[in-house]
Amino acid sequence: MCSGRIDLAFVLRAFSNGMDGVFIGGCRLNECNYITQGNYDALNMVLLCRRIMEHIGLSPERLRIEFMTSGEGILLTEVINDFGKKVRELGPLGKGEEIDEGELKSKLEEVTKLVPYIKIVKREKLASRLENEEEYEGLFTKDEVDRLFSEVVSYHIDPEKCQACMICFRKCPAEAIIGAKNQIHVIDQEKCIKCGTCLEACPPRFGAVREISGEPVPPPIPEEERTIVRKKKGK
Ligand code: SF4
Ligand code: SF4
């Protein structure tokens, strides 16, 4: 019902499924049918996605957003014809850019996995309300998006500090923390969406969760070494 519903992940999924181009049509800016102004959200998402496409070597012209009313059939036809022509000129996805098929697939998978993280890190800009087209170009820069990917963070639980209080386990929105009573907790990096909730949730007196950037994440301690043996009071 609203272009604001179109998630970054939907666009990446379309490309992962082999679409050569993605077109998004939304209501005119400031003429939202609801009160949400979701077309601004769609615009910001497209501006970010186009930079991400540049980052992985795809032409950003394969993604287009236009705003129009339901009465502008002729405009829609013109825009779609123009976009179709552009996509035909670009050729099949990846081939036009001379990216190896397997490499493109893994790049798209990698970026798709980071969508929740990207949305958290860029949440303020994704909520912008741009006044004019001149501002579109500068909302996200190429350097900024390159940096976003080179500085991706990971989270790790220090087994020496974890007290198995289970707070992070309960709060993790992705069920990425493996833990139980009296068991040192570990993070499943494959499931982790890098939201940082565990870092905030871990009580400061334990301080067991660490944010890591630019270095490998230590492997989780083996399952058989996770049990915490507590001393009984008075002994
Ligand atoms: S950062 Fe922590 S809370 Fe967030 S998904 Fe990863 S493990 Fe879960
Ligand atoms: S909140 Fe901290 S101390 Fe508690 S289980 Fe998680 S990592 Fe361990």
Side-chain angles (χ1 to χ4, degrees), residues 153-172 176-178 184-189 192 194-213 217-218:
V153 300
S154 298
Y155 293 89
H156 175 251
I157 296 174
D158 183 340
E160 300 290 324
K161 294 183 178 173
C162 179
Q163 294 302 311
C165 68
M166 298 190 73
I167 295 175
C168 61
F169 176 85
R170 290 195 195 98
K171 291 200 170 178
C172 174
I177 297 179
I178 304 159
I184 291 168
H185 289 34
V186 297
I187 295 176
D188 180 342
Q189 299 295 333
C192 176
K194 305 175 190 299
C195 66
T197 303
C198 50
L199 180 68
E200 281 172 30
C202 185
R205 65 184 185 282
F206 303 145
V209 182
R210 188 164 69 99
E211 190 179 89
I212 297 176
S213 175
V217 181

